[in-house]
């Protein structure tokens, strides 16, 4: 089965960029998810294995609790905790690998140190409309995840035979989380061939699933139940649903990062639903509302995320951010749904 993504010239460029680098920084987007963390750590494991000893993974902030078991997680430098150390890493780097984001603004507060770096930049991502300015851009929106791209690159560079179980675990976790346990964006047969190759490295896919999806606290489960019972609004005639979550409500249920992961997918279990939107207040920044959108049954939410929520993403899984009150965000959400009412009917 064909797994190669690069032509000969591109492969040689990637090899030379890696070979010539001594100090390498790998970075991901704000609020890193399983794909951002998994791809970054897998790429770090690969680079370590081929002899690159000075590789640092830098993230803007914390990953959810259910990803803290991933091999190498403890080595990640967080900009919100150690800004000077992260800034120094970017300053010393001669290669910066940007994984799982298409625009430098996605690293949020870490953007200035990323853009100030004079290092060659390698972008590996599967989101639409990647920014220009990188020495090499490997952008494949048709891929299930950045982790799938990382596997294919390691394979093409001849690194599969010596791939460690730890590297394989990171890749599988990212592929699994970015496809909802392989329930969407995962119809290509190559994905399942890659899974078989990861299983051959000794990973326990059931254990990985349980660590990620069966890892909620009692408070988290009560919060999720409260939102569905009390906060979910369903517009039946437009096959759309949305819910709002305030800082006060999250505090009441002792919210920690990750407690609402995937909750925006739950309304999609409603028969015939085409659109689900989550509006959540940022726990740290005032008048900031984080938006997640999911779509199915023929409607695609990505244009809505771009037009109304300062965001973007994949056709059926997008996000955005609003600088306003929750009341204003809810009104904009309703406006967005009505704007697309003909497609949603």
């Amino acid at each position: 089965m064909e797994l190669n993504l690069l032509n000969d010239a591109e492969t040689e460029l990637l090899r030379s960029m890696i070979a010539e680098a001594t100090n390498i920084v790998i970075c991901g987007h704000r609020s890193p998810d399983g794909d951002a963390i998994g791809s970054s750590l897998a790429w770090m494991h690969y680079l370590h294995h081929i002899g690159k000893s000075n590789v640092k993974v830098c993230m803007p902030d914390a990953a959810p609790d259910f990803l803290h078991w991933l091999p190498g997680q403890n080595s990640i430098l967080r900009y919100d905790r150690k800004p000077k150390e992260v800034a120094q890493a970017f300053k010393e780097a001669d290669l910066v690998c940007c994984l799982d984001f298409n625009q430098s603004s996605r690293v949020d507060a870490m953007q200035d140190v990323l853009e100030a770096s004079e290092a060659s930049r390698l972008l590996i991502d599967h989101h639409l409309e990647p920014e220009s300015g990188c020495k090499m851009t490997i952008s494949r929106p048709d891929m299930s995840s950045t982790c799938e791209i990382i596997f294919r690159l390691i394979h093409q560079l001849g690194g599969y035979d010596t791939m460690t179980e730890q590297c394989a675990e990171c890749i599988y976790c990212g592929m699994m989380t970015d496809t909802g346990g392989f329930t969407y964006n995962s119809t290509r047969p190559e994905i399942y061939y890659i899974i078989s190759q990861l299983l051959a490295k000794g990973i326990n896919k059931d254990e990985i699933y349980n660590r990620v999806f069966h890892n909620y606290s009692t408070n988290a489960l009560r919060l999720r139940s409260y939102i569905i019972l009390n906060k979910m609004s369903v517009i039946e005639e437009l096959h759309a649903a949305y819910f709002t979550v305030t800082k006060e409500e999250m505090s009441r249920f002792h919210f920690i990062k990750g407690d609402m992961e995937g909750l925006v997918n739950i309304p999609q279990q409603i028969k015939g639903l085409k659109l689900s939107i989550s509006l959540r207040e940022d726990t740290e920044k005032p008048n900031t509302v984080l938006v997640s959108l999911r779509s199915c049954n023929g409607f695609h939410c990505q244009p809505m995320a771009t037009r109304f929520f300062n965001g973007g993403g994949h056709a059926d899984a997008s996000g955005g951010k609003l600088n306003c009150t929750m009341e204003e965000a809810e009104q904009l959400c309703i406006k967005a749904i009505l704007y697309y009412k003909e497609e949603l009917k």
Side-chain angles (χ1 to χ4, degrees), residues 256-268:
I256 62 171
K257 201 164 193 176
D259 281 354
M260 285 181 53
E261 189 76 20
L263 186 60
V264 68
N265 298 314
I266 299 300
Q268 290 186 296

Side-chain angles (χ1 to χ4, degrees), residues 65-215:
D65 179 71
F66 58 78
L67 296 174
H68 288 184
W69 62 272
L70 280 168
Q73 163 70 25
N74 292 337
S75 68
I76 294 176
L77 295 175
R78 284 173 47 187
Y79 185 74
D80 62 338
R81 289 282 183 87
K82 297 181 178 181
K84 292 182 179 179
E85 193 170 341
V86 170
Q88 188 64 27
F90 275 96
K91 184 177 181 180
E92 295 175 353
D94 43 28
L95 176 61
V96 172
C97 304
C98 301
L99 270 57
D100 199 41
F101 65 93
N102 56 350
Q103 304 287 332
S104 58
S105 59
R106 292 289 312 281
V107 302
D108 204 53
M110 203 168 72
Q111 182 176 0
D112 288 344
V113 296
L114 168 60
E115 294 184 341
S117 173
E118 296 180 0
S120 297
R121 196 179 302 182
L122 167 67
L123 187 147
I124 304 173
D125 183 45
H126 71 131
H127 295 90
L128 297 169
E129 300 175 355
E131 66 183 1
S132 58
C134 297
K135 183 172 181 179
M136 184 172 192
T137 296
I138 303 172
S139 174
R140 292 298 301 264
D142 55 318
M143 299 285 105
S144 68
S145 55
T146 301
C147 274
E148 180 186 346
I149 300 174
I150 289 294
F151 178 90
R152 287 168 173 260
L153 293 177
I154 293 173
H155 185 276
Q156 188 165 358
L157 293 171
Y160 173 74
D161 288 344
T162 55
M163 179 183 287
T164 64
E165 181 181 343
Q166 291 75 24
C167 182
E169 285 180 327
C170 294
I171 292 173
Y172 183 83
C173 181
M175 291 180 65
M176 178 188 73
T177 53
D178 240 34
T179 59
F182 304 102
T183 59
Y184 53 83
N185 197 28
S186 54
T187 57
R188 291 176 295 102
E190 294 90 344
I191 292 172
Y192 298 92
Y193 176 75
I194 291 172
I195 292 172
S196 73
Q197 297 302 290
L198 295 172
L199 288 170
K201 293 297 178 180
I203 69 167
N204 186 329
K205 71 176 187 63
D206 297 334
E207 183 179 351
I208 293 173
Y209 184 94
N210 286 329
R211 281 176 164 177
V212 172
F213 293 115
H214 295 165
N215 196 26

Side-chain angles (χ1 to χ4, degrees), residues 6 8-25 43 46-47 50 52 54-55 93-99 118-124 133-138 153 157:
L6 309 179
D8 291 344
E10 291 168 335
T11 304
E12 287 310 306
L13 174 59
L14 180 58
R15 287 187 190 277
S16 66
M17 289 177 69
I18 295 171
E20 294 168 6
T22 300
N23 301 316
I24 302 175
V25 167
W43 194 234
Y46 167 70
L47 292 173
I50 63 172
K52 298 297 175 178
N54 194 3
V55 181
D94 43 28
L95 176 61
V96 172
C97 304
C98 301
L99 270 57
E118 296 180 0
S120 297
R121 196 179 302 182
L122 167 67
L123 187 147
I124 304 173
C134 297
K135 183 172 181 179
M136 184 172 192
T137 296
I138 303 172
L153 293 177
L157 293 171

